[in-house]
Amino acid sequence: MTVETDASAALLADLGERLPGLRLLTDPGDRQSYRSDETAHWKAGLPLAVALPTSTDEVAEIMRAATRHRVPVVPRGAGSGLSGGSAGVEGALTVAFTRMNRIVEIDRANLVVVTQPGVINAELKAAVAREGLFYAPDPASYEFCSIGGNIGTNAGGLCCVKYGVTRDAVLALEVVLADGRVIRTGGRSVKDVAGYSLTHLFVGSQGTLCLVTEATLRLRPAPPAKVTMLAFFATLEAAGKAVAAITAAGLTPCTLELMDRVTIAAVDDWHNLGLDREAAGLLLVESDLPAGAAETELAAAITACEGAGATQVVRAESASEADWLRQVRRMAFRAMERLGTARMEDVGVPRSRVPELLTEIERVAAAHDVRCGTFGHAGDGNLHPTFVSTRGDQAEEARVEAACQELYRAALSLGGTVTGEHGIGAARRGLLELQRGEAAVSVMRAIKSALDPLGILNPGKVL
Ligand SMILES: Cc1cc2nc3c(=O)[nH]c(=O)nc-3n(C[C@H](O)[C@H](O)[C@H](O)COP(=O)(O)OP(=O)(O)OC[C@H]3O[C@@H](n4cnc5c(N)ncnc54)[C@H](O)[C@@H]3O)c2cc1C
């Protein structure tokens, strides 16, 4: 059902009049295709319409109109989110940034790139790589997620363990506020402490405080080619110990990722790769240090893995073999999706507590009799237990929900978080206060109402 109100009809008429060139999708089929993100278990609302602006001025005009008519707006990137952040809200206007997909400038002298939000992460990486430069944040979805969405969620990825998350790469933003004002935060200076850091506030705000229309991102000189290995373990505890040993040895791998037995089997079943299916888990470890240092670092990582009980180590002998090993990890979620409705969770703990978190995940899945495969960014203490239920089996879905609730609490009791990188969004909203406490959430509400007093920006998300 769509909420057709006088206000929504008036908004669409107003937009048609003021922005005759704006691409505005009102056909039910088009609206349906912008309804959900990748959060399979979240029931999204049908957007009133979908606007595809091409400039900051158009976004500002849209927000002035939305404010006048008090119609909510859902900002949307590529729709790959896993917390319902860009999922439709019944009767709200979805603003998708697909057509704001221009890289504005690559500034070598200051090692920054200025980009519109609709640019796909992989395209930005490729464009700066052609200049011998490197944009670090690399979510496993980098081939299809957008920079705006990465900023909206403060996305992590495989190389955050060394280079940090999206927030660490954002120097400045141009944003449109709920009332249509356009402001700029930050700048190209490496050091800049003038006033509160609005840049940091907006990164990760999941479209609830502003719409990002341009971003200035930090670049690095391109690192050397990576050396890559997979280490297999007979128990997950041993894999967890290897992660702790690698960190404790002071190594700085650029990738330190884990997959458990269920995920290994799911990937192997899909692509017949000949992975060691007897293993309880594997670690993907990579180094991008210069010259021989990478080999030395990988050798030290192998020593740490073997010390923790690795049963087998596979070294990539070429760049294409390394790509192949990396793909094993990147395929994990899609492989799990082939088994049923896959609910990817996103808990995080301090790195030293990864072995305890792994034990808790196994315990919770067994206690609720649910299928679960775990993979993720072990080097960051951020794991993605992915629960699979048979499509349409409501009893199983209810058991998965109960397992997730117990898992969130387990992560919190280990000093961790209910979401490491996917966000509270819509799907984890009830958990924010449990983790942050009432006082902190009331500060967040005060910020929200200062910036969006009518509550029209992505309602029902985060708060
Ligand atoms: C297979 C797979 C692997 C994944 N791997 C990772 C991973 O390794 N690390 C990780 O962090 N995530 C991962 N994700 C989740 C997802 O890809 C990221 O959250 C990504 O940042 C979302 O980008 P998007 O362009 O799809 O944004 P969307 O999903 O469209 O939006 C995400 C949020 O950002 C907001 N938003 C989007 N654009 C703007 C804008 N211009 N202004 C303001 N707000 C905006 C939206 O309102 C929403 O709240 C994965 C997802 C899949 C399906």
Side-chain angles (χ1 to χ4, degrees):
M1 187 200 76
T2 307
V3 183
E4 294 289 0
T5 62
D6 290 350
S8 55
L11 170 72
L12 297 185
D14 203 354
L15 288 177
E17 204 170 295
R18 286 169 198 263
L19 295 172
L22 175 70
R23 188 126 195 262
L24 195 60
L25 310 177
T26 52
D27 175 79
D30 289 338
R31 287 152 56 204
Q32 187 66 29
S33 64
Y34 285 85
R35 184 179 199 132
S36 300
D37 62 2
E38 291 263 1
T39 320
H41 68 283
W42 185 253
K43 306 225 174 336
L46 185 66
L48 158 72
V50 180
L52 297 161
T54 53
S55 69
T56 303
D57 286 348
E58 282 188 349
V59 178
E61 193 62 57
I62 291 169
M63 290 315 301
R64 283 194 289 273
T67 293
R68 264 195 307 281
H69 300 287
R70 303 192 172 213
V71 172
V73 166
V74 177
R76 183 175 174 105
S80 72
L82 289 164
S83 61
S86 65
V89 169
E90 203 67 37
L93 177 71
T94 287
V95 175
F97 283 91
T98 332
R99 299 180 85 203
M100 289 182 69
N101 61 350
R102 198 164 52 85
I103 296 174
V104 179
E105 181 190 356
I106 297 173
D107 173 358
R108 289 193 68 89
N110 290 303
L111 283 180
V112 300
V113 56
V114 181
T115 182
Q116 290 190 316
V119 172
I120 296 298
N121 179 302
E123 286 168 8
L124 187 89
K125 274 181 176 299
V128 303
R130 285 193 287 273
E131 306 284 325
L133 298 169
F134 175 54
Y135 174 66
D138 64 339
S141 51
Y142 80 117
E143 284 160 317
F144 51 88
C145 64
S146 74
I147 294 296
N150 295 169
I151 292 170
T153 54
N154 186 18
L158 275 65
C159 73
C160 310
V161 63
K162 181 162 184 174
Y163 295 109
V165 293
T166 299
R167 182 175 281 133
D168 300 307
V170 181
L171 282 174
L173 294 173
E174 176 192 78
V175 306
V176 176
L177 299 176
D179 60 8
R181 276 177 299 163
V182 179
I183 63 166
R184 285 187 168 270
T185 72
R188 293 186 194 197
S189 312
V190 174
K191 299 173 78 179
D192 181 353
V193 293
Y196 301 137
S197 176
L198 297 179
T199 311
H200 283 86
L201 173 65
F202 292 147
V203 177
S205 61
Q206 295 204 273
T208 62
L209 299 180
C210 65
L211 296 98
V212 175
T213 48
E214 191 181 277
T216 302
L217 306 171
R218 186 194 304 271
L219 299 176
R220 300 163 185 269
K226 297 174 195 170
V227 293
T228 305
M229 71 160 189
L230 292 183
F232 292 85
F233 298 85
T235 64
L236 277 184
E237 199 192 351
K241 280 189 180 150
V243 172
I246 288 170
T247 311
L251 305 179
T252 56
C254 59
T255 314
L256 184 44
E257 296 280 314
L258 174 129
M259 281 168 63
D260 75 350
R261 188 196 306 272
V262 176
T263 334
I264 294 171
V267 170
D268 204 46
D269 283 341
W270 190 13
H271 285 284
N272 226 344
L273 300 171
L275 298 173
D276 177 1
R277 302 173 65 123
E278 296 301 307
L282 67 76
L283 289 180
L284 167 69
V285 188
E286 296 187 286
S287 173
D288 64 357
L289 291 177
E295 293 294 339
T296 310
E297 182 163 64
L298 212 65
I302 290 172
T303 305
C305 288
E306 287 174 347
T311 51
Q312 192 196 352
V313 172
V314 180
R315 284 279 308 265
E317 299 299 339
S318 63
S320 63
E321 237 178 80
D323 261 354
W324 182 85
L325 296 186
R326 223 168 283 136
Q327 278 306 107
V328 169
R329 160 63 185 92
R330 288 195 193 277
M331 285 186 293
F333 180 55
R334 295 294 184 222
M336 293 297 291
E337 276 188 316
R338 295 175 72 241
L339 307 179
T341 301
R343 174 164 171 174
M344 198 205 289
E345 284 302 334
D346 180 39
V347 284
V349 290
R351 281 183 271 208
S352 60
R353 308 201 76 171
V354 167
E356 288 166 271
L357 179 60
L358 288 166
T359 307
E360 281 297 285
I361 293 168
E362 282 190 322
R363 183 189 64 73
V364 166
H368 293 273
D369 186 24
V370 288
R371 285 177 289 165
C372 178
T374 298
F375 53 91
H377 317 295
D380 299 322
N382 178 201
L383 296 179
H384 298 312
T386 299
F387 297 94
V388 179
S389 52
T390 308
R391 287 188 183 92
D393 184 338
Q394 290 181 356
E396 199 176 9
E397 280 169 19
R399 293 204 304 280
V400 166
E401 175 63 32
C404 290
Q405 292 300 331
E406 194 170 336
L407 180 65
Y408 300 135
R409 282 156 182 81
L412 292 179
S413 73
L414 292 170
T417 175
V418 298
T419 173
E421 57 182 18
H422 296 162
I424 289 287
R428 300 185 184 87
R429 204 158 54 115
L431 297 155
L432 184 62
E433 202 161 305
L434 185 68
Q435 178 170 337
R436 296 287 183 218
E438 199 188 325
V441 173
S442 75
V443 171
M444 293 183 202
R445 285 190 197 286
I447 293 169
K448 168 76 174 166
S449 70
L451 290 170
D452 178 19
L454 300 177
I456 58 169
L457 269 181
N458 220 358
K461 316 290 173 69
V462 185
L463 292 171

